[in-house]
Amino acid sequence: MIRLENISKQNGHQILFIEASAALLRGEKVGLVGPNGAGKTTLFRMMTGQELPDEGHVGTDRGITIGYFSQDVGEMSGRSAVAEVMDGAGPVAEVAAELKALEEAMADPDQLDRMDEIIERYGEVQGRFEELGGYALDGRAREVLAGLSFSQEMMEGDVGALSGGWKMRVALARILLMRPDAMLLDEPSNHLDLESLIWLEQFLKGYEGALMLTSHDREFMNRIVTKIIEIDGGELTTYSGDYEFYEQQRAMNEKQQQAQFERQQAMLAKEIKFIERFKARASHAAQVQSRVKKLEKIDRVEPPKRRQSVSFEFPPAPRSGEDVVSLKNVHKRYGQRSIYDGLDFQVRRRERWCVMGVNGAGKSTLLKLVTGSTEPDDGSVALGGSVKLGYFAQHAMEVLDGERTVFESLEDSFPQAGQGSLRALAGCFGFSGDDVEKKCRVLSGGEKARLVMAKMLYDPPNFLVLDEPTNHLDMATKEMLIEALSHYEGTMLFVSHDRHFLAALSNRVLELTADGVHQYGGGYTEYVASTGQEAPGLHS
């Protein structure tokens, strides 16, 4: 379908690809992986023809349709979400537009002398529209939008009124409805809640075209792909298997390469020692010469490229009392909508509650009530003794001072800390070298999230309240965070749509559903086992 042959590409001073080759074949489902900035988006843009390689060739089978979803969705406004999605449905959308134009022409008295021609063309176009499933298009568009958690009201409303995250879903729905021969999806899992994510997973499993995707959600990637293409140091390496297989295989390859490298180094050291020892003796001249020649011919084994794996250890948090927070008979409404109607909920020391529920069920509201960011209409919310609270919310990223650099921002928060320890902290959260000199206003969403989290965890609270903490994090940072939080001694209450994060860190589940609030004693893994589903919105 799409082949990359010996491509080289440079962006400014950065070399992204050096004579790299890979292919996306019919029916394949491929995960594209590599560190941030390795060139994943550039690769997609070359595959769609939006960018050209400096050298080499990108070959595409004739006549195939390619659907490309990127994080840059552009402007959308002036029509409903359904209309916006149908407009992107490829050839059928063009046929629909012609059909509409012909209907207008048939009603136009000035066109009377062309009527026979118009009616004949209308018949042809109508046949083609039917062939392409045009009449079922509206229903299919609604089905896709519903899968991505749109309500009827949102489907009909002006797409311009939606937030950036929801516009992303509209852009994604366009590609899914189009069902092209090849789909290239750059981070499709980024702005989705758990229900939408699971729906998308099922949809992509049933999709028969060729698929290439990037995602920071390992669980999502694992369930869909059967092949991995890795970008590393300008090369493309293909692994056949899912993401987990790729991780194991890569670790094994690195281990073997390290062993080969060490064996060769030992052999070289031995040869060099012999040469050094006997080079002055005439009696050994022939042997010395032959060994020198042998060394010159040897292919040197490179040591494996070292992955920068970061780890972060929490300083111990001060101990809180046994009762961390207690909500009694809490009522909360927004306008006509009642979110909580007499909620009783208790969090005790060292419990790690994950809060589950569909969009609008009140997950973020609960976190706001607990942290005091919003008041209950009735009832009480009380924090226990010696509780030191840390709250990570999406809006926390907006309060960073745009004119301060990353390092200054850390210094402002911890004036007592030494330079070395703040640099180490910045490094753990992905700010190495010159990155610490970046001004906060130029940081990406992911960088801002990492900075806010670094500030929160350096002097850790004993009660962490986290609202979608992994939203903008790449896999390596996410792994580091899970590892660090699994050793954390304090109490947690969090919302996340990342199943790996949920399973690794929760030991209690609070489920918010239309028929009430349910509490489960085990963590997310036990919740899935006992309910038979991965998210509350999937009640069949």
Side-chain angles (χ1 to χ4, degrees):
M1 300 276 278
I2 305 174
R3 284 166 307 287
L4 304 151
E5 291 162 10
N6 295 322
I7 55 163
S8 296
K9 180 79 176 170
Q10 192 165 344
N11 266 355
H13 292 301
Q14 193 192 6
I15 295 171
L16 292 177
F17 299 103
I18 309 159
E19 295 187 352
S21 299
L24 175 63
L25 307 175
R26 198 172 294 281
E28 274 189 334
K29 293 186 166 62
V30 178
L32 181 64
V33 302
N36 275 353
K40 297 189 286 283
T41 300
T42 304
L43 192 75
F44 278 146
R45 291 176 62 83
M46 287 194 289
M47 290 170 82
T48 55
Q50 289 168 280
E51 280 192 41
L52 293 172
D54 300 336
E55 286 170 28
H57 173 68
V58 178
T60 308
D61 286 359
R62 280 188 58 180
I64 65 162
T65 50
I66 299 176
Y68 171 45
F69 169 75
S70 79
Q71 295 294 301
D72 184 15
V73 296
E75 275 308 301
M76 288 183 193
S77 67
R79 50 183 169 190
S80 72
V82 175
E84 188 69 48
V85 169
M86 283 165 62
D87 183 56
V92 68
E94 291 157 32
V95 177
E98 191 182 347
L99 209 54
K100 194 167 181 230
L102 289 166
E103 281 166 5
E104 283 165 10
M106 287 196 288
D108 182 354
D110 295 344
Q111 304 265 10
L112 270 175
D113 50 343
R114 288 184 56 234
M115 203 48 74
D116 289 349
E117 183 192 330
I118 291 169
I119 289 169
E120 188 182 342
R121 179 66 187 148
Y122 185 75
E124 287 166 14
V125 174
Q126 202 175 24
R128 176 84 181 117
F129 188 63
E130 209 163 302
E131 207 176 287
L132 289 168
Y135 289 108
L137 199 62
D138 182 84
R140 275 178 42 221
R142 287 171 191 276
E143 206 177 301
V144 171
L145 285 168
L148 295 174
S149 301
F150 279 76
S151 63
Q152 285 305 116
E153 205 178 328
M154 287 165 79
M155 289 182 202
E156 302 297 346
D158 184 343
V159 71
L162 298 174
S163 70
W166 286 98
K167 281 182 180 164
M168 289 267 186
R169 296 187 193 206
V170 171
L172 179 58
R174 288 177 73 147
I175 309 284
L176 301 181
L177 182 68
M178 179 182 165
R179 285 195 176 249
D181 301 315
M183 240 192 263
L184 308 177
L185 306 179
D186 196 359
E187 295 292 348
S189 53
N190 239 7
H191 290 270
L192 301 183
D193 53 277
L194 194 46
E195 282 78 9
S196 306
L197 199 59
I198 292 164
W199 177 86
L200 178 61
E201 212 165 81
Q202 294 306 325
F203 184 96
L204 293 176
K205 279 184 188 168
Y207 165 66
E208 286 168 6
L211 170 69
M212 186 183 275
L213 64 89
T214 63
S215 173
H216 292 323
D217 187 319
R218 58 183 300 145
E219 205 50 53
F220 176 73
M221 182 91 97
N222 238 343
R223 294 176 187 210
I224 294 167
V225 307
T226 52
K227 178 171 145 183
I228 294 281
I229 294 176
E230 177 191 50
I231 306 178
D232 193 11
E235 294 172 6
L236 293 172
T237 312
T238 302
Y239 296 80
S240 53
D242 61 12
Y243 184 77
E244 212 158 289
F245 171 81
Y246 147 76
E247 272 197 318
Q248 291 162 354
Q249 195 62 40
R250 197 189 67 201
M252 212 160 77
N253 292 354
E254 279 181 7
K255 213 168 158 183
Q256 284 170 350
Q257 196 176 340
Q258 183 66 32
Q260 271 179 309
F261 172 72
E262 284 168 9
R263 275 201 303 274
Q264 192 181 61
Q265 289 299 306
M267 182 272 289
L268 292 173
K270 202 167 144 191
E271 293 291 323
I272 289 164
K273 199 173 169 187
F274 179 90
I275 293 164
E276 287 300 317
R277 193 168 157 203
F278 294 111
K279 68 180 177 191
R281 295 192 196 174
S283 59
H284 284 72
Q287 279 172 290
V288 167
Q289 274 310 104
S290 88
R291 291 195 182 202
V292 168
K293 282 199 175 111
K294 181 178 147 193
L295 285 190
E296 283 167 357
K297 286 183 186 157
I298 283 177
D299 277 340
R300 301 291 165 113
V301 176
E302 292 289 317
K305 291 191 191 83
R306 280 277 158 252
R307 294 259 156 185
Q308 271 188 312
S309 63
V310 287
S311 62
F312 174 71
E313 282 181 19
F314 282 98
R319 189 187 161 121
S320 71
E322 286 305 310
D323 291 329
V324 175
V325 68
S326 167
L327 287 80
K328 290 193 179 137
N329 196 23
V330 165
H331 292 255
K332 184 71 188 170
R333 304 179 69 81
Y334 288 115
Q336 295 302 301
R337 275 181 62 219
S338 169
I339 307 285
Y340 291 111
D341 194 9
L343 171 70
D344 292 314
F345 175 52
Q346 189 99 23
V347 177
R348 298 179 67 78
R349 191 171 78 84
R350 298 202 64 177
E351 288 181 338
R352 296 156 170 245
W353 287 89
C354 71
V355 185
M356 312 276 299
V358 297
N359 271 329
K363 300 187 293 289
S364 292
T365 302
L366 177 68
L367 270 46
K368 285 176 183 165
L369 286 164
V370 165
T371 55
S373 323
T374 192
E375 295 293 319
D377 300 336
D378 206 0
S380 67
V381 178
L383 282 183
S386 314
V387 170
K388 178 182 168 195
L389 182 112
Y391 178 31
F392 176 86
Q394 297 305 308
H395 64 74
M397 305 187 300
E398 292 153 28
V399 299
L400 291 168
D401 180 344
E403 289 311 306
R404 305 294 280 164
T405 66
V406 168
F407 196 74
E408 287 167 344
S409 186
L410 291 173
E411 277 188 319
D412 295 346
S413 299
F414 310 108
Q416 258 61 59
Q419 289 250 340
S421 96
L422 288 185
R423 278 189 187 279
L425 171 71
C428 284
F429 283 86
F431 298 104
S432 53
D434 297 341
D435 290 344
V436 293
E437 300 309 325
K438 281 186 180 174
K439 292 224 163 156
C440 290
R441 62 182 155 77
V442 303
L443 298 180
S444 68
E447 289 171 323
K448 284 181 180 164
R450 295 202 307 262
L451 178 56
V452 169
M453 214 165 283
K455 286 179 159 199
M456 188 165 77
L457 301 182
Y458 185 65
D459 176 20
N462 50 29
F463 181 30
L464 279 178
V465 180
L466 310 173
D467 195 357
E468 293 288 6
T470 62
N471 242 4
H472 298 277
L473 303 184
D474 60 27
M475 283 206 207
T477 313
K478 220 182 264 190
E479 287 301 326
M480 180 275 287
L481 187 64
I482 289 172
E483 179 62 22
L485 289 173
S486 62
H487 299 297
Y488 169 66
E489 294 281 311
T491 306
M492 283 170 69
L493 175 70
F494 62 93
V495 173
S496 172
H497 63 250
D498 188 295
R499 285 160 292 181
H500 181 49
F501 190 86
L502 290 168
L505 295 172
S506 60
N507 59 21
R508 299 278 186 284
V509 175
L510 184 73
E511 183 191 50
L512 312 175
T513 66
D515 57 1
V517 175
H518 310 284
Q519 302 189 15
Y520 295 84
Y524 177 70
T525 310
E526 290 80 1
Y527 164 82
V528 173
S530 68
T531 61
Q533 66 194 20
E534 293 191 293
L538 304 172
H539 281 303
S540 45

